[in-house]
Amino acid sequence: MIGRLRGVLVGIRPQQAIVDVAGVGYEVAASPRTLADLPGVGEEVVIHTHLVMRDDGMSLYGFSSEGERDLFRMLLTVSGIGPKVGLSVLGSMSPTELRRAIAAEDADAIAIAPGLGRRGAQKVILELKPKLNDGEAEVVSAGAGDLRRALEGLGYTAAEIRPVMASVDPGLSLPEQVRAALKELGRP
């Protein structure tokens, strides 16, 4: 298994980075979020990786941190979730946002990932929530899904809501969370 690459970043393509390690160029599939975290071309880079071997070839998937890679590996344990959908999920939301959504059973937040859908999101919650409850999940207020629904009821789109959800303190009461989210969104 190839768990980590350290080398020189020689190129970035859509959904892929190329890393030169001792003269060998590794093509590493990555989410746009991970690609944005990489240094400039020609600079040294460390990418945490997961190798997938299939009959038709091998694919290397890369991540900014070990925690993100470990969450990707957990996503692969969910029936019906393959590497491309797992990468799509982590490209749509940060590992912290995903853990919060799983803990709050917020399928709508997870379903925004291309290729997943609401049923797939519910499956992710069903299969991963027990694995995250053993101390790995963040403490999340029970109202995180309620906050999303309240903001949607006010006419905000999922694209507007997602970044605000990460910035609102989950320890606040629901009315306080709504006020903080509206302030973040630019409404008094």
Side-chain angles (χ1 to χ4, degrees):
M1 180 77 63
I2 299 171
R4 185 179 78 129
L5 294 176
R6 171 182 261 152
V8 177
L9 183 64
V10 294
I12 296 178
R13 297 180 184 156
Q15 301 178 350
Q16 188 179 67
I18 302 170
V19 180
D20 184 305
V21 180
V24 177
Y26 290 90
E27 293 179 348
V28 182
S31 72
R33 183 183 301 271
T34 297
L35 293 173
D37 289 344
L38 295 177
V41 172
E43 295 184 36
E44 185 171 318
V45 66
V46 174
I47 299 178
H48 302 275
T49 61
H50 177 78
L51 179 66
V52 175
M53 297 178 65
R54 293 199 170 151
D55 293 338
D56 60 347
M58 296 185 288
S59 299
L60 198 56
Y61 294 88
F63 308 94
S64 301
S65 67
E66 287 182 67
E68 186 178 13
R69 180 196 59 203
D70 294 343
L71 194 52
F72 174 77
R73 288 176 174 168
M74 287 177 66
L75 282 167
L76 294 181
T77 66
V78 176
S79 61
I81 304 287
K84 288 184 181 179
V85 173
L87 202 60
S88 171
V89 170
L90 290 173
S92 299
M93 56 193 343
S94 72
T96 301
E97 291 170 333
L98 180 58
R99 282 187 174 92
R100 281 184 181 160
I102 291 169
E105 297 184 12
D106 189 359
D108 293 332
I110 300 169
I112 64 169
L116 188 62
R118 184 155 172 78
R119 277 194 169 160
Q122 290 170 334
K123 215 183 256 190
V124 167
I125 291 168
L126 181 68
E127 294 187 30
L128 293 188
K129 189 169 182 181
K131 294 177 183 179
L132 293 179
N133 280 340
D134 60 4
E136 191 175 342
E138 285 186 23
V139 176
V140 178
S141 73
D146 294 334
L147 174 60
R148 174 174 296 285
R149 284 186 287 281
L151 293 174
E152 286 172 347
L154 293 172
Y156 289 100
T157 65
E160 293 170 316
I161 294 170
R162 187 170 26 115
V164 172
M165 293 288 290
S167 66
V168 173
D169 180 6
L172 298 173
S173 69
L174 181 59
E176 291 169 329
Q177 286 181 1
V178 171
R179 275 194 286 283
L182 289 174
K183 187 180 278 186
E184 189 80 22
L185 288 164
R187 282 199 185 166

